[in-house]
């Protein structure tokens, strides 16, 4: 724990952002990882066990660091057979809104794997890539998070005012 604490202190002094990708078990063994965090991005899915785990993890985080900001990412948000809990029920159970939803797209992921490229190169305009870009921009603190593009009618000045 002392070496890990020292490593985190050094990283925080040298970098604007330090991102740790941690399994649940490690967090329970080293609560200082939570207490040293300003923000936590918790990735889950819409299954019953995951919902239970999110409730427990949020409770643990709040007990270790009451002021920590927790953001929720739902992975495989529309996966057939993988959604056991409705999003509204999930949010009511965890008492927090979901910040981002990453859709399940098996065909796209197979195409990306076959291309030998990373997702952001192989499927730059896909919904998944856009959401991941938004998440990364938010983490990096950029204000130019994926903006809605003007329609062709807005570009030529013929859009109807709402």
């Amino acid at each position: 724990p002392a070496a890990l604490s020292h490593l985190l202190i050094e990283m925080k002094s040298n970098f604007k952002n330090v991102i740790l990708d941690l399994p649940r078990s490690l967090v329970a063994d080293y609560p200082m990882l939570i207490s040293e965090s300003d923000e936590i991005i918790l990735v889950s899915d819409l299954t019953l066990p995951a919902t239970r785990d999110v409730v427990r993890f949020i409770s643990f985080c709040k007990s270790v660091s009451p002021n920590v900001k927790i953001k929720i990412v739902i992975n495989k948000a529309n996966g057939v057979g993988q959604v056991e809990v409705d999003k509204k029920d999930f949010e009511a159970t965890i008492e927090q809104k979901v910040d981002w939803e990453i859709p399940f797209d098996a065909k796209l992921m197979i195409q990306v794997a076959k291309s030998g490229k990373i997702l952001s190169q192989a499927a730059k305009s896909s919904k998944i890539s856009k959401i991941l870009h938004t998440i990364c921009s938010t983490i990096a603190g950029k204000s130019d998070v994926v903006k809605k593009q003007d329609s062709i009618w807005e570009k030529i000045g013929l859009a109807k005012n709402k």
Side-chain angles (χ1 to χ4, degrees):
L4 189 56
S5 178
H6 178 69
L7 177 64
L8 278 176
I9 290 168
E10 287 298 317
M11 290 179 72
K12 285 175 91 173
S13 66
N14 291 315
F15 300 101
K16 180 180 174 186
N17 295 314
V18 178
I19 298 174
L20 304 172
D21 182 6
L22 305 170
R24 263 189 322 255
S25 59
L26 188 65
V27 174
D29 293 338
Y30 299 100
M32 53 83 60
L33 295 172
I34 299 297
S35 65
E36 293 292 321
S37 300
D38 299 321
E39 184 174 48
I40 294 170
I41 298 176
L42 182 57
V43 180
S44 183
D45 56 37
L46 294 174
T47 61
L48 289 171
T51 305
R52 182 191 64 232
D53 289 344
V54 168
V55 169
R56 289 178 182 164
F57 190 79
I58 290 173
S59 175
F60 175 76
C61 291
K62 294 294 183 182
S63 69
V64 172
S65 182
N67 296 325
V68 71
K69 290 181 252 167
I70 300 174
K71 295 192 176 197
I72 307 293
V73 178
I74 296 298
N75 193 19
K76 301 176 187 170
N78 61 347
V80 178
Q82 298 180 16
V83 176
E84 299 172 359
V85 180
D86 183 60
K87 180 184 165 196
K88 288 181 183 180
D89 293 337
F90 180 85
E91 290 175 332
T93 302
I94 68 169
E95 299 175 346
Q96 183 173 330
K97 292 279 185 193
V98 169
D99 295 282
W100 301 285
E101 294 178 62
I102 301 172
F104 180 70
D105 190 343
K107 289 180 184 177
L108 175 67
M109 299 316 287
I110 289 170
Q111 289 174 349
V112 169
K114 286 180 179 179
S115 75
K117 297 178 181 177
I118 61 173
L119 177 67
S120 60
Q121 289 176 337
K124 191 174 189 174
S125 62
S126 71
K127 188 173 182 179
I128 296 173
S129 289
K130 289 177 181 177
I131 292 168
L132 291 175
H133 175 66
T134 302
I135 294 169
C136 292
S137 295
T138 303
I139 292 170
K142 294 182 179 180
S143 60
D144 61 341
V145 178
V146 182
K147 296 177 185 173
K148 179 185 172 262
Q149 293 184 352
D150 291 338
S151 72
I152 187 69
W153 302 114
E154 291 169 320
K155 287 180 183 177
I156 62 174
L158 296 175
K160 291 182 181 178
N161 293 331
K162 293 181 181 180

